[in-house]
Amino acid sequence: MKLGTVPAAHDSAPSTIKVVLRYLSVNAKHASALSFTILFSLLSSAILSIMTQCFHAIIDDYGATGMIFNKQAILLLIALAVLIPSQYLQQLIGLKYSELCDRTIRDMTFAIVSRIDKQILDTKQAGDILSCANSDLGQINGALQNYFSVRLPQQIIGFVALIVSLLISWQLTLFSLALVPAIALLQVRISAPLTRFVQQWQQAAGESLSIASNLTGGYETAKAYNWDQRLRHRYEAAVDRAADSGINANRATVLLTPLGQIMLFLPQIIICGFGVYLASVHQITPGGVMSVIILSVFIGNPIGDFPSVLSALKTARGCAARVFELWDLLPETAGGTASEPEGDAILFNNVMFSYMSKPPVINGLSFSIKRGEHIAIVGASGSGKSTAIKLLMALYRKSGGEIALFGHAIEEWSTEALREHISYVGQETFLFAGSIWDNVAMGNRCATNEQIEAAIDAAHLGGIDTKREIGERGLRLSGGQRQRVAIARAMVKDAPLLLLDEPTSALDTQSEAMVAEAIRRLMQGRTTIVIAHRLSALRNLDRVYCMQDGQITESGTHEQLMALQGAYYQLYKTQEAEA
């Protein structure tokens, strides 16, 4: 697969075998629990076979001698004493296996989502990913957990019971099961479209979740533009499609239920009738008839559950297409082995980059920065400023040219180690649920309380209760407060390279002044790259790079660029006129 491409979506649902094999492969480390579940199922089957033979002998002996307590009765009691712990362990280990599998798959899915390549992640809807990682994954887990912990042991016991029943009377056993294949074939035909209906339902559910996420995430904007009504109509349309698909799926599932009941009880009815006939012509003893009736219960359990198993596996197939597509998304590269700086400069040399086969956004970008310098990158919207920052953080991968940081080409850096040397403050600050203190402490896991307190004070947050809950995404704080929390977090990290992506562009004048003062403190002693919106704030920087169409067109100090009266001058005068 080429870098920068999105894996093709699964055109159709994977086969049931592929779903099961991949499930087992992902949970291979729990194979011992599954093996013990199967082992105790086989043990239970063997004990039930012995018990059936004992019943057979007891009933026949009673008819001949009138005695019910004999060696077979003692053996039956011993077998019963062994059966109880055997079935207990089989069910306990089976349930443990299912819980371990659920934990493993959810942990793996979260790890995959956390490592998805940013270029690919940008093409996905957050609501769709959340729906896939929760609802779809839950459907697969529910179906396969139940199968391996409950249904599979039932099938093993049923299969062994069938063999024993055939040995007792193959005529009676086969005659009682004669109609089962025809009914099973009818069930398969009825359930055929179930996978497609489930896929449609999950896609519509993912779309509805994405719309709801858009409303809650952009609530003020939706209200300001009266989009709530429009979003509600889109949400209702997606829910309607989900409901229609769910109704179609349930229609198929409901049809399977009575057929399953027929498959469960029909063999027992036939055994009673045909068994009496065979006993009357002395082809089977009364004990044999009773044994086949008892065994038919264990044979009938998996047969009666066949519709439920079929429905669950069809559902799992429908969900697996989306889950497997998520699992197969290209992860971001781990990079090389370099972990420590061995030089001072940051270098972009003829760098090229484009989004998913679109025209280049970065087109021959070249500039250099020495350690400790404070530089700004400016330009009109869409000129490639923020993209250059993402390239520097290894969130995006260049398609050509050279990027080097602190003595190593960016490909030589371990991605994780590279980011340890970078602090980032963006335009849209993301804060996690918790307190201000918690969010600042996330900047450095090893930070002491004194270091966290010092960063909070330096970011002018000392007058706020830093231990109270700030709500999801920090919505209980003002925009300026959220930005200062992000600055304090960057201070605690204390990385040598600081990236500021328009950190004050969305703030009012008073908030901007407080944030600007905190930024000045943060920049001290650090190599700093500022993506600037307000050009009037760039007078004290070492150098300003002006970008146009993915290239540097001008560079110099603020005064030098104003004297050139070129692109930077025009941007400055436009802002001055707007002010």
Side-chain angles (χ1 to χ4, degrees):
M1 183 183 298
K2 294 182 179 179
L3 295 179
T5 61
V6 181
H10 292 260
D11 296 327
S12 60
S15 68
T16 302
I17 294 297
K18 287 184 178 179
V19 174
V20 171
L21 289 178
R22 188 154 189 184
Y23 182 87
L24 293 174
S25 174
V26 169
N27 294 292
K29 63 182 179 180
H30 308 308
S32 59
L34 179 60
S35 299
F36 277 111
T37 301
I38 294 172
L39 178 63
F40 281 110
S41 299
L42 290 170
L43 178 59
S44 298
S45 302
I47 296 170
L48 287 169
S49 301
I50 293 171
M51 291 175 67
T52 304
Q53 294 295 338
C54 289
F55 271 121
H56 187 170
I58 290 170
I59 293 171
D60 288 346
D61 285 353
Y62 180 76
T65 65
M67 292 182 60
I68 196 168
F69 191 79
N70 50 26
K71 289 187 297 182
Q72 285 78 14
I74 296 172
L75 183 58
L76 177 64
L77 293 174
I78 294 172
L80 183 62
V82 177
L83 177 65
I84 293 172
S86 175
Q87 290 205 317
Y88 169 78
L89 290 171
Q90 169 233 304
Q91 293 178 19
L92 179 65
I93 298 173
L95 291 172
K96 179 182 178 181
Y97 175 74
S98 68
E99 292 300 327
L100 290 173
C101 291
D102 181 67
R103 183 185 68 186
T104 297
I105 283 188
R106 291 191 181 279
D107 287 348
M108 186 192 78
T109 302
F110 185 84
I112 288 172
V113 171
S114 69
R115 294 196 304 266
I116 295 175
D117 185 89
K118 182 65 166 63
Q119 291 172 238
I120 294 174
L121 188 62
D122 287 345
T123 68
K124 303 293 180 182
Q125 292 186 336
D128 205 36
I129 290 177
L130 289 175
S131 175
C132 186
N134 286 282
S135 177
D136 294 25
L137 194 65
Q139 293 278 6
I140 294 175
N141 270 337
L144 296 183
Q145 284 174 12
N146 182 264
Y147 178 76
F148 285 112
S149 63
V150 178
R151 310 297 189 187
L152 179 60
Q154 280 186 350
Q155 290 172 355
I156 292 171
I157 293 172
F159 179 73
V160 174
L162 176 62
I163 294 174
V164 175
S165 183
L166 287 169
L167 293 173
I168 294 172
S169 174
W170 63 269
Q171 300 98 323
L172 182 56
T173 303
L174 293 181
F175 190 78
S176 68
L177 299 175
L179 293 178
V180 169
I183 299 174
L185 181 61
L186 180 59
Q187 290 176 324
V188 171
R189 293 292 299 273
I190 292 173
S191 67
L194 190 57
T195 297
R196 173 166 50 86
F197 292 145
V198 169
Q199 282 184 291
Q200 293 170 352
W201 184 87
Q202 294 292 354
Q203 288 169 356
E207 184 180 344
S208 65
L209 182 58
S210 181
I211 295 168
S213 178
N214 289 337
L215 176 61
T216 55
Y219 191 80
E220 293 85 355
T221 304
K223 288 294 184 182
Y225 287 90
N226 289 322
W227 286 346
D228 50 339
Q229 193 81 356
R230 192 183 314 170
L231 288 172
R232 193 174 74 194
H233 289 323
R234 286 178 56 196
Y235 181 84
E236 289 173 351
V239 171
D240 286 345
R241 289 196 299 275
D244 290 341
S245 299
I247 290 170
N248 288 329
N250 288 330
R251 184 182 295 118
T253 303
V254 168
L255 282 172
L256 293 174
T257 303
L259 292 174
Q261 292 173 343
I262 291 172
M263 291 176 69
L264 177 61
F265 293 112
L266 185 61
Q268 297 179 26
I269 295 171
I270 293 173
I271 289 171
C272 291
F274 191 55
V276 170
Y277 166 74
L278 291 178
S280 68
V281 296
H282 306 292
Q283 291 193 14
I284 188 172
T285 65
V289 175
M290 184 58 69
S291 297
V292 173
I293 290 174
I294 294 171
L295 291 168
S296 71
V297 175
F298 298 103
I299 299 170
N301 282 335
I303 293 176
D305 281 340
F306 180 71
S308 299
V309 173
L310 190 62
S311 175
L313 292 178
K314 292 283 186 180
T315 300
R317 281 189 63 202
C319 298
R322 284 159 47 86
V323 172
F324 289 176
E325 182 182 348
L326 177 64
W327 286 355
D328 293 337
L329 289 178
L330 188 70
E332 67 176 4
T333 177
T337 58
S339 59
E340 295 295 334
E342 293 183 2
D344 293 335
I346 297 172
L347 174 69
F348 275 61
N349 182 24
N350 199 31
V351 173
M352 307 288 291
F353 174 80
S354 61
Y355 290 100
M356 300 296 175
S357 303
K358 293 182 179 179
V361 178
I362 301 295
N363 191 13
L365 179 62
S366 298
F367 65 88
S368 62
I369 308 168
K370 295 179 181 178
R371 182 183 284 269
E373 282 191 317
H374 300 160
I375 70 103
I377 301 177
V378 302
S381 178
S383 60
K385 309 183 298 294
S386 295
T387 303
I389 292 291
K390 290 182 174 68
L391 289 169
L392 201 55
M393 294 174 66
L395 293 172
Y396 293 165
R397 296 179 302 283
K398 60 183 175 59
S399 56
E402 177 189 3
I403 301 176
L405 289 86
F406 304 143
H408 300 289
I410 197 166
E411 296 85 3
E412 296 173 357
W413 274 100
S414 157
T415 302
E416 186 174 338
L418 170 66
R419 292 170 186 164
E420 287 293 331
H421 293 84
I422 298 174
S423 292
Y424 172 77
V425 179
Q427 178 180 354
E428 298 181 2
T429 299
F430 188 92
L431 300 182
F432 296 88
S435 65
I436 291 176
W437 185 281
D438 295 334
N439 275 272
V440 173
M442 286 180 182
N444 185 349
R445 293 186 297 270
C446 300
T448 64
N449 290 342
E450 290 75 17
Q451 290 172 321
I452 296 171
E453 190 66 50
I456 287 173
D457 290 338
H460 300 294
L461 291 167
I464 306 173
D465 181 3
T466 59
K467 296 299 179 69
R468 72 179 176 89
E469 292 289 322
I470 59 175
E472 188 176 359
R473 297 175 178 265
L475 293 179
R476 295 179 186 171
L477 302 177
S478 68
Q481 289 171 335
R482 288 197 295 271
Q483 205 68 317
R484 279 179 278 151
V485 172
I487 291 169
R489 186 163 57 195
M491 286 179 174
V492 166
K493 187 172 184 180
D494 197 24
L497 175 59
L498 174 63
L499 305 179
L500 303 171
D501 191 355
E502 303 193 31
T504 63
S505 63
L507 303 179
D508 57 61
T509 304
Q510 183 178 2
S511 296
E512 181 182 4
M514 296 186 71
V515 171
E517 172 58 29
I519 288 175
R520 277 192 287 273
R521 296 184 182 185
L522 176 61
M523 291 170 59
Q524 292 174 5
R526 295 179 176 88
T527 306
T528 305
I529 300 176
V530 183
I531 303 297
H533 175 72
R534 291 187 173 92
L535 305 186
S536 57
L538 306 181
R539 297 178 184 274
N540 298 321
L541 297 185
D542 297 312
R543 192 160 57 261
V544 177
Y545 291 113
C546 186
M547 284 187 70
Q548 255 185 334
D549 300 324
Q551 297 177 322
I552 300 294
T553 55
E554 298 175 359
S555 67
T557 63
H558 169 79
E559 291 75 15
Q560 290 171 339
L561 295 182
M562 290 296 292
L564 285 177
Q565 296 192 0
Y568 180 85
Y569 176 85
Q570 295 299 325
L571 284 171
Y572 187 88
K573 287 300 180 181
T574 299
Q575 284 190 6
E576 194 175 53
E578 290 173 352

